[in-house]
Amino acid sequence: MNFRLETAPERTSARAGVITTAHGEIQTPIFMPVGTVGSVKAVHFRELREDVKAQIILGNTYHLYLRPGMEILHKAGGLHKFIGWERPILTDSGGFQVFSLAANRKLKEEGAWFRSHIDGSKHLFTPEKTVDIQRIIGSDIMMALDECTPGTADLQYARRSLDLTQRWLLRGWKHFNETEPLYGYSQTFFPIVQGCVYPELRREAAKFVADLGAEGNAIGGLAVGEPTEKMYEMIEVVNEILPADRPRYLMGVGTPANILEAIDRGVDMMDCVMPTRNGRNGMLFTRNGIMNMRNKKWADDFSPLDPGGPCEIDEVYSKAYVRHLFITQEILAMQIASIHNLAFYLWLVGEARKHIIAGDFPEWKREMVDNVTRRL
């Protein structure tokens, strides 16, 4: 993987760059749609390419490991071939999913024991095994196994958690460097900075990660219960230390405003289920604010969904029609909303990139944050 910065931060820490992988280029800052089990919910890959203009999607190691399983993915020649997606893929190591299974997992020095949410079967993820699994998946960018510390953890717990994550990281990094890709193209390994909401732990973790010299780095354990301002503070603390010539990936964040604030603080890559999950529940993000499509106020509003919006469907469907689809529980409602929201998110980071290059990002961001947080 190669990362080329196209701008030097001046009035802001925001950067524009290009990541080059074996499956194509990614212009940063970038938002990555979440394709947990090898699909982005309710969105066809043709729509991801043409309407959403996704440059990279995510797969999840935990879910893909359980279904369809490694034997199937290996026979298929990796996830790209299995799903018919020719562009880059990033895989989460499954650390967050194991974290979310609090009642059904146990963390030990060897790794994370957990029970499948599907059939209750018992499994072990070690730092080495998650590298092997991601080799079989064939993702362009793979993540280290970590413990995602709760945002409300006390300092003592956060200390123990970070120590474990860092010991796991050294094992995963060693195994990554001792193994080879399976499908004839290179893969990249991103360490993850943890440390909860404690600046001293975050600084230590960022230094630990930076010293490895990986091709890119991730910031984890945020947007998991801590106050938003504390999240922004931790991003600033970490990005003061992570190398500027490597991409920085903020995991699992967030709202449009969160994304703009993260970009302003030097983040290059982001992902979140919010555009599709909220879309399926009738929430649409637009350049002028947030719409709840179940509200009666849209019942006789025949204006386009988002006039002049970034996606063709913004002009094709009216607010009244999309509300009707949600009220009648038509599957098409979820499809339209998911495509619209993802297209908006990709448009948002694309516009941020343009304004970073133009040099007026701070002014544009201030106005846009006001717009995207407004309730319509």
Side-chain angles (χ1 to χ4, degrees), residues 60 62-63 94-105 117 148:
N60 182 264
Y62 166 86
H63 289 283
F96 179 78
Q97 282 65 37
V98 172
F99 157 77
S100 67
L101 295 169
N104 292 304
R105 52 92 167 165
H117 70 287
C148 181

Side-chain angles (χ1 to χ4, degrees), residues 90-112:
L90 180 149
T91 42
D92 182 351
S93 68
F96 179 78
Q97 282 65 37
V98 172
F99 157 77
S100 67
L101 295 169
N104 292 304
R105 52 92 167 165
K106 185 171 291 186
L107 305 181
K108 296 191 174 183
E109 192 64 37
E110 61 188 321

Side-chain angles (χ1 to χ4, degrees), residues 112-125:
W113 284 98
F114 63 91
R115 291 194 177 276
S116 164
H117 70 287
I118 300 167
D119 60 9
S121 56
K122 193 174 183 180
H123 304 270
L124 171 65
F125 272 4

Side-chain angles (χ1 to χ4, degrees), residues 32 90-93 141-146 162 165 169 188-195 202 205-210 212 214-222 234-235 238-239 242-243 246-252 267-271:
M32 302 178 284
L90 180 149
T91 42
D92 182 351
S93 68
I141 301 171
M142 66 172 75
M143 308 304 298
L145 181 66
D146 65 334
L162 178 59
T165 285
L169 172 56
T188 295
F189 179 99
F190 278 23
I192 303 173
V193 176
Q194 289 287 350
R202 286 284 177 178
K207 177 69 164 54
F208 189 90
V209 161
L212 288 182
E215 292 179 305
N217 301 297
I219 307 169
L222 293 176
M234 293 304 101
I235 295 171
V238 168
N239 280 347
L242 290 181
R246 312 292 165 91
R248 300 160 176 163
Y249 164 33
L250 178 60
M251 306 178 73
V267 168
D268 306 295
M269 307 166 69
M270 292 140 288
D271 78 285

